[in-house]
Amino acid sequence: MSSISLLLLLFPILFITFSLFATPSSSAVDTFVFGGCSQLKYAQGTPYESSVNSMLTSLVNSATFTTYNNFTIPSSTSQEALYGLFQCRGDLNNADCGRCVARAVSQLGTICANSCGGALQLEGCFVKYDNTSFLGVEDKTVVVRKCGPSSAYDSDALTRRDALLGYLGAGDGSYKPYRVGGSGDLAGMAQCVGDLSASECQDCLSDAIGRLKTDCGASKWGDMYLAKCYARYSKGGDHSNGGDGKRFRHLVGWWFLVFENNNDEEIEKTLAILIGLIAGVALLIIFLSFLRKVCEGERDGK
């Protein structure tokens, strides 16, 4: 195939790929919250890469039938074990859950390329895989803490906020991984990952809600994401509309990308830049190769 033919073939493919990532999501379910990657990398073409691809495919396929599932690919003589799970927000139907997980897996493949482990939280779903077993393990590590602007002191508003959070954190011994509540213009939500037991879920949510009360004080809204659960509240629909942009956070063996303003356009722009750079380099190489062949052709014709 000639260079110019290859150029004409690749340009629309690269343009479409770039456009898919550059176009902001129309659904709040797809809004990016955080992404994290293991610092360990695997080599391309290895059995572990095949396991990761198989795991992510299984997560996407399963999400069209249920809102939570986990998978384990056992170890063998040629590779170590791999663990993975997904969970959708409790109010999503299977169709929306499937779309959310598919989008999360797509972004995870870009952010955590060749990483032995990765985790990504969107507004509507959570996806994680790793070569170290985390299934059924309670983890209350703070991943994201975001608090909105403080409002003027209002004892009644604080009382209602604390009552709402108390309702979300109340445990009666039953298994309630997804909890919602409201009081006037206040709304709250809490959820833990489905691999936790009822007692572990309650413990994780109690910790998240306690931190939310302490850290966010009189803020109009607040988010507290721990590794295995989260709790959120907002007043008057005002939620996560401000912040100080994106930043990287290091935890043990992992790095996390957090967009503090919770703006889906930020993650889309970042991914678009990454893919745009790759596409630009590819087009430049093809274009230079084409020019070289043209120059060689001119010399041969003389």
Side-chain angles (χ1 to χ4, degrees):
M1 180 182 291
S2 67
S3 295
I4 189 168
S5 298
L6 186 59
L7 177 63
L8 292 174
L9 176 62
L10 286 179
F11 181 79
I13 296 174
L14 294 171
F15 178 78
I16 291 171
T17 303
F18 182 89
S19 299
L20 286 174
F21 282 91
T23 303
S25 168
S26 59
S27 172
V29 172
D30 296 337
T31 299
F32 181 91
V33 178
F34 68 81
C37 310
S38 167
Q39 295 180 20
L40 295 176
K41 299 287 187 177
Y42 61 80
Q44 293 185 343
T46 59
Y48 191 81
E49 180 182 31
S50 298
S51 292
V52 170
N53 292 335
S54 177
M55 172 65 71
L56 296 180
T57 299
S58 296
L59 296 179
V60 171
N61 291 339
S62 181
T64 60
F65 302 102
T66 181
T67 56
Y68 167 79
N69 208 347
N70 67 73
F71 297 90
T72 299
I73 298 178
S75 61
S76 65
T77 55
S78 60
Q79 68 168 47
E80 53 194 318
L82 182 64
Y83 310 88
L85 65 74
F86 75 88
Q87 174 163 289
C88 290
R89 203 172 64 204
D91 61 339
L92 295 189
N93 58 40
N94 288 339
D96 289 337
C97 178
R99 282 190 290 267
C100 185
V101 171
R103 186 171 180 83
V105 166
S106 176
Q107 292 188 3
L108 194 60
T110 301
I111 296 174
C112 298
N114 301 332
S115 290
C116 290
L120 192 136
Q121 176 77 58
L122 301 181
E123 286 278 348
C125 61
F126 174 70
V127 171
K128 181 175 181 178
Y129 73 92
D130 198 9
N131 58 354
T132 300
S133 179
F134 59 90
L135 300 177
V137 178
E138 185 178 6
D139 187 351
K140 297 187 289 185
T141 303
V142 177
V143 181
V144 174
R145 181 197 69 87
K146 294 190 287 185
C147 301
S150 296
S151 56
Y153 180 77
D154 184 339
S155 60
D156 178 64
L158 284 177
T159 299
R160 289 193 298 118
R161 193 281 306 270
D162 289 347
L164 172 61
L165 293 179
Y167 170 77
L168 295 177
D172 57 7
S174 63
Y175 182 56
K176 297 188 296 184
Y178 177 66
R179 310 173 186 185
V180 293
S183 174
D185 59 350
L186 282 172
M189 178 192 309
Q191 186 171 22
C192 54
V193 180
D195 63 326
L196 297 183
S197 67
S199 61
E200 290 170 336
C201 176
Q202 182 62 40
D203 183 52
C204 189
L205 290 180
S206 295
D207 195 77
I209 290 171
R211 290 175 180 271
L212 198 55
K213 288 181 180 179
T214 302
D215 293 359
C216 290
S219 296
K220 293 182 179 180
W221 56 263
D223 294 346
M224 186 64 64
Y225 282 86
L226 308 187
K228 281 294 184 77
C229 68
Y230 67 84
R232 316 175 69 186
Y233 75 89
S234 62
K235 179 180 180 181
D238 183 18
H239 191 266
S240 300
N241 293 320
D244 57 3
K246 59 181 178 291
R247 62 190 176 90
F248 292 89
R249 173 184 297 166
H250 285 273
L251 298 179
V252 179
W254 286 59
W255 62 264
F256 279 83
L257 174 61
V258 180
F259 286 77
E260 296 294 351
N261 62 3
N262 207 26
N263 186 342
D264 195 40
E265 292 184 1
E266 290 294 330
I267 180 62
E268 302 292 353
K269 290 176 181 177
T270 302
L271 294 176
I273 290 172
L274 292 173
I275 294 179
L277 289 173
I278 296 172
V281 171
L283 289 173
L284 180 61
I285 293 173
I286 294 170
F287 181 67
L288 292 176
S289 176
F290 170 70
L291 288 180
R292 180 177 62 81
K293 290 184 178 296
V294 170
C295 292
E296 290 176 351
E298 290 179 350
R299 287 197 299 268
D300 293 340
K302 292 181 179 180

